[in-house]
Amino acid sequence: MKRSPKDTAESTRRISRRGLLVGGIQLAFIGVLGMRMRQLQVKEADQYRLLAEENRINIRLLPPPRGLIHDRNGITVADNTQNYRIVMVREDAGDVDEVIARLQQLVYLEPADLERARKEIKRRSPFVPVTVTDRISWDELSRVAVNSPALPGITPEVGLSRYYPQYGDYAHIVGYVGPVSDYDLSKIDDQDPLLQIPKFQIGKTGIETKMEKALRGSAGAKQIEVNAVGRVMRELGRREGDPGENLRLTIDSKLQNYVQARLGEESATAVVLDTRTGDILAAGSTPSFDPNKFVRGISVKDYSELTGNKYRPLANKSVQGTYPPGSTFKMVVALAALEAGAVTAQDTVYCPGYMELGDRRFHCWKRGGHGHVNLNASLEQSCDVYYYDLSLRIGVDKIAEMARKLGLGERFDVEMSAVAEGLIPTRAWKQEVRGQSWLKGDTLNASIGQGFVLASPLQLAVMTARLATGKEVVPRLIKSVNDVEQPVLGGADLGFNKAFLREVQEGMYNVSNSRRGTAYSMRIVEDAFRMAGKTGTSQVRNITAAERARGVVSNADLPWERRDHALYVSYAPYDDPRIAVSVVVEHGGGGSTAAAPVARDIVLQALYGGTPPLSAYPEKDRGRIESQQDKMELRDFDSFGEGQTRA
């Protein structure tokens, strides 16, 4: 149908209005867009150019808190303290020397630390944060934070550092941590990225290294946005890591502190075991050192003083030291002979002061001899000739078998460094290792704990605990991990003839409680805590026939390094054994005079749970003991609650 001119005109007017409306909207949109583009390209060009081209997202590892270590009563022995530090990322810093120069105007940098940091910055990947300095004050940290725009790549951080509140008491047990080194990385097969963080602390000795993975925990991470000059703009995200596991030890801090103080400045060691569980209640080694000095990196001067000390303060003598056990080994020979049926407790051996074997004399410590002695008297008076005779009857292999049954010659799996195996020789051992046949003279030397025989103080304490109980006592150092109790090992009956074991125990009782006993003067007079023990004196030099003819030179007249080692092993109470103790005083002379007094005092301290009454000591000793107690500097543990540290 043909449209009229009027309809056509109306339609044209409607199209024109729509066109104008659409055109207006488009023009307005283009105008707004143009204005926004002008703002972005002109007014905010610098800001968005920085965001687009220069800003970057960095992912940085978050070291987890290292697990804490407590004693059996919850007292902290390894803690974490806040540590303020300054780190640098090389790729964000640009001109490293210029940035460090600016930093030095705000914070004093030790030349040695600065040199070490420069080397780390050059050798590490450019994106790895390197610690320039640590342990700075809050004021220094604040100055750096305020001036951060002028310090590209520099970040002030708050971290954690290890601290040992008991100082030297636990130095040989817990050990210490230190900055991870290339040497550490070369000897461990561990891909944990935490180890790549410069100055990250890892265990170096003791429990700290043996339980490193458990104590370390796992890393967290944070995402941060940094600008062109390396300044941190904001934190975009954070994932916390898992803290290390907390350990509780079997050690009693109060007893450990007493043992260290009682050993004093001697080169000595003492181990205290719970005979029922095998728990190591104390493991002293003197002299000791402050492990806190190693956390950051010990100075050359301090380290030289430790390594140059003839008393070897860095060595853990309780497990690392091995010594000829001397007469403390005689219980091994006695029980082996009884079990083999080679002797009865009533059989006697005549001791004229020596035994002749071929053209050689093997002497007893008592020049005039002991006369006729049976097993009980041989232990009580420590007759050497009696054990020469027994050893020839049963041979060294029977002795070695019994020694191993009692825990000697075994490397126990305790979490301390350099745990020694000791040495219990046999015929086969000498042939294999030395290419020589075993001699009867070797057997005689072994029978009194000399010759090739070597044992650690820990092993001697285990031997004593097994003799006291007749059970397989196995030492334990970790009581719980994250409050999960660790198993008590051993406990099985060793299968000894009870009558034979009782004979040996009675002999040890007489050592301390019979007037003829070698340790009678160091007895405990409190009936409930009577002690059984055995003295030992091990030679570190040969005594020639000429010297014997002239008279053996006394230890007091010899240089310290040539004096005999003094040993004593004991358990108490005799009728219900709870504590086994071994003491070794290096070059201390006689076991009855140097080691037995220390062992007696430690036993009483352990059984009373603190300072014993003077009535527990022989009357003639009480004045000396009271003076000794007054002079000893012990920590005050009673004023602190569970889990708290000691300053």
Side-chain angles (χ1 to χ4, degrees):
M1 183 177 66
K2 188 175 180 180
R3 299 179 65 184
S4 67
K6 185 178 180 180
D7 291 339
T8 301
E10 182 63 29
S11 176
T12 301
R13 284 195 297 272
R14 284 199 298 271
I15 292 174
S16 297
R17 287 197 296 269
R18 288 175 185 167
L20 288 172
L21 180 61
V22 172
I25 292 173
Q26 289 178 338
L27 184 62
F29 177 76
I30 292 171
V32 172
L33 185 61
M35 291 174 63
R36 181 59 179 159
M37 290 178 64
R38 182 176 184 279
Q39 183 181 15
L40 292 176
Q41 293 182 5
V42 179
K43 292 185 177 181
E44 299 180 9
D46 292 340
Q47 178 182 351
Y48 284 94
R49 187 181 302 112
L50 181 63
L51 288 173
E53 298 176 3
E54 301 294 342
N55 276 22
R56 66 189 66 189
I57 305 301
N58 282 351
I59 297 178
R60 293 185 182 174
L61 293 177
L62 293 173
R66 193 170 179 85
L68 304 182
I69 304 177
H70 307 281
D71 83 336
R72 68 185 298 113
N73 299 312
I75 294 171
T76 305
V77 298
D79 203 357
N80 298 320
T81 58
Q82 274 195 338
N83 173 26
Y84 302 130
R85 57 176 176 251
I86 305 298
V87 301
M88 172 183 281
V89 178
R90 173 158 51 103
E91 69 174 358
D92 295 334
D95 189 333
V96 171
D97 292 334
E98 182 182 347
V99 173
I100 288 178
R102 294 177 188 171
L103 181 63
Q104 285 181 291
Q105 296 176 13
L106 302 170
V107 178
Y108 173 73
L109 302 178
E110 290 282 354
D113 291 344
L114 183 55
E115 181 63 25
R116 186 162 47 244
R118 288 182 187 277
K119 290 180 180 178
E120 287 291 333
I121 290 169
K122 289 179 180 178
R123 59 196 291 271
R124 295 286 179 178
S125 299
F127 56 83
V128 173
V130 172
T131 301
V132 178
T133 185
D134 61 357
R135 287 179 174 78
I136 63 174
S137 68
W138 173 254
D139 287 342
E140 290 173 316
L141 187 82
S142 300
R143 285 200 299 270
V144 174
V146 169
N147 290 276
S148 59
L151 299 170
I154 292 290
T155 305
E157 290 186 348
V158 180
L160 295 175
S161 186
R162 206 59 155 174
Y163 173 62
Y164 302 102
Q166 311 303 331
Y167 299 98
D169 285 359
Y170 281 86
H172 298 102
I173 300 171
V174 171
Y176 53 84
V177 300
V180 65
S181 66
D182 288 338
Y183 175 73
D184 295 322
L185 295 174
S186 69
K187 69 177 185 177
I188 58 177
D189 184 19
D190 193 336
Q191 301 302 313
D192 192 335
L194 282 171
L195 300 181
Q196 300 301 320
I197 299 176
K199 289 199 174 185
F200 181 74
Q201 294 177 346
I202 64 169
K204 299 285 187 172
T205 63
I207 292 171
E208 291 280 26
T209 187
K210 294 297 181 180
M211 299 293 290
E212 167 61 29
K213 287 190 176 181
L215 289 167
R216 186 192 309 162
S218 59
K222 65 177 179 180
Q223 289 182 321
I224 58 173
E225 183 180 11
V226 295
N227 64 15
V229 294
R231 183 181 181 184
V232 176
M233 303 301 294
R234 57 176 173 159
E235 185 176 305
L236 301 176
R238 173 183 289 256
R239 176 182 58 80
E240 298 294 344
D242 296 321
E245 296 176 332
N246 295 331
L247 306 181
R248 183 168 290 213
L249 308 184
T250 60
I251 303 290
D252 183 316
S253 286
K254 195 171 184 179
L255 182 61
Q256 177 70 19
N257 177 239
Y258 178 85
V259 168
Q260 290 290 127
R262 184 62 183 86
L263 293 174
E265 295 305 312
E266 296 280 0
S267 181
T269 175
V271 176
V272 184
L273 287 185
D274 185 325
T275 60
R276 299 159 296 185
T277 61
D279 284 0
I280 302 175
L281 301 178
S285 182
T286 57
S288 190
F289 60 94
D290 182 2
N292 292 297
K293 291 184 176 181
F294 285 86
V295 175
R296 184 179 182 185
I298 191 168
S299 70
V300 173
K301 178 179 178 293
D302 287 342
Y303 190 69
S304 296
E305 288 178 356
L306 292 173
T307 55
N309 189 326
K310 68 178 181 179
Y311 288 174
R312 301 178 299 119
L314 291 176
N316 183 359
K317 300 179 180 76
S318 65
V319 297
Q320 183 179 353
T322 55
Y323 309 88
S327 293
T328 64
F329 193 71
K330 288 175 178 175
M331 289 84 73
V332 174
V333 181
L335 193 55
L338 289 170
E339 290 280 345
V343 69
T344 68
Q346 291 72 40
D347 291 343
T348 61
V349 171
Y350 179 70
C351 169
Y354 60 87
M355 171 182 278
E356 290 186 337
L357 184 66
D359 59 354
R360 183 180 172 188
R361 278 190 174 185
F362 289 80
H363 294 269
C364 184
W365 71 267
K366 189 175 182 181
R367 188 167 184 172
H370 292 90
H372 291 280
V373 292
N374 61 13
L375 186 142
N376 194 301
S378 74
L379 287 172
E380 173 189 277
Q381 302 169 49
S382 201
C383 175
D384 293 334
V385 171
Y386 182 89
Y387 292 93
Y388 295 153
D389 184 85
L390 258 57
S391 67
L392 291 178
R393 299 188 198 186
I394 60 176
V396 71
D397 289 339
K398 286 284 187 184
I399 295 172
E401 182 182 345
M402 179 58 68
R404 292 189 177 280
K405 202 169 185 179
L406 289 170
L408 304 182
E410 179 178 350
R411 182 183 287 110
F412 291 107
D413 187 20
V414 293
E415 294 80 2
M416 287 189 271
S417 297
V419 177
E421 184 177 352
L423 177 58
I424 299 300
T426 61
R427 295 174 182 273
W429 169 85
K430 189 178 180 186
Q431 187 63 54
E432 179 183 347
V433 174
R434 303 215 167 191
Q436 299 172 351
S437 298
W438 188 266
L439 305 176
K440 287 185 176 180
D442 296 331
T443 302
L444 267 59
N445 282 330
S447 72
I448 59 168
Q450 295 279 170
F452 301 118
V453 183
L454 294 172
S456 72
L458 175 64
Q459 291 171 333
L460 292 175
V462 171
M463 175 195 76
T464 306
R466 292 184 180 185
L467 286 169
T469 62
K471 295 182 179 179
E472 186 190 10
V473 178
V474 178
R476 182 177 73 149
L477 182 59
I478 305 294
K479 184 173 176 61
S480 67
V481 178
N482 273 356
D483 294 326
V484 177
E485 188 79 10
Q486 300 301 289
V488 174
L489 303 176
D493 193 290
L494 290 169
F496 295 136
N497 182 298
K498 295 294 189 290
F500 296 159
L501 185 60
R502 193 67 179 174
E503 292 290 350
V504 173
Q505 292 170 345
E506 287 181 3
M508 294 177 69
Y509 178 84
N510 287 339
V511 168
S512 297
N513 298 283
S514 168
R515 291 188 178 275
R516 301 187 70 182
T518 55
Y520 177 70
S521 62
M522 298 303 161
R523 67 194 181 281
I524 294 172
V525 299
E526 172 60 54
D527 286 336
F529 292 153
R530 292 279 184 176
M531 176 176 66
K534 183 70 188 77
T535 54
T537 303
S538 61
Q539 294 179 0
V540 297
R541 67 188 184 95
N542 291 322
I543 300 176
T544 64
E547 183 180 342
R548 288 190 182 278
R550 295 191 308 268
V552 177
V553 179
S554 69
N555 278 288
D557 296 327
L558 290 169
W560 179 80
E561 294 85 354
R562 301 190 67 202
R563 297 174 188 172
D564 300 335
H565 294 319
L567 301 92
Y568 192 75
V569 298
S570 61
Y571 67 87
Y574 172 68
D575 292 323
D576 182 23
R578 289 160 44 197
I579 301 294
V581 175
S582 70
V583 173
V584 178
V585 181
E586 290 186 344
H587 308 294
S592 61
T593 56
V598 177
R600 188 263 312 273
D601 294 351
I602 291 173
V603 166
L604 284 172
Q605 188 79 12
L607 293 177
Y608 278 99
T611 303
L614 293 175
S615 59
Y617 295 90
E619 188 172 354
K620 68 179 182 61
D621 280 351
R622 291 172 187 173
R624 179 182 60 81
I625 294 298
E626 185 174 23
S627 176
Q628 173 186 291
Q629 291 174 347
D630 290 341
K631 292 178 181 177
M632 291 182 69
E633 296 183 5
L634 302 176
R635 300 190 197 282
D636 179 15
F637 290 94
D638 295 331
S639 60
F640 292 85
E642 180 174 316
Q644 290 185 273
T645 61
R646 309 292 189 262

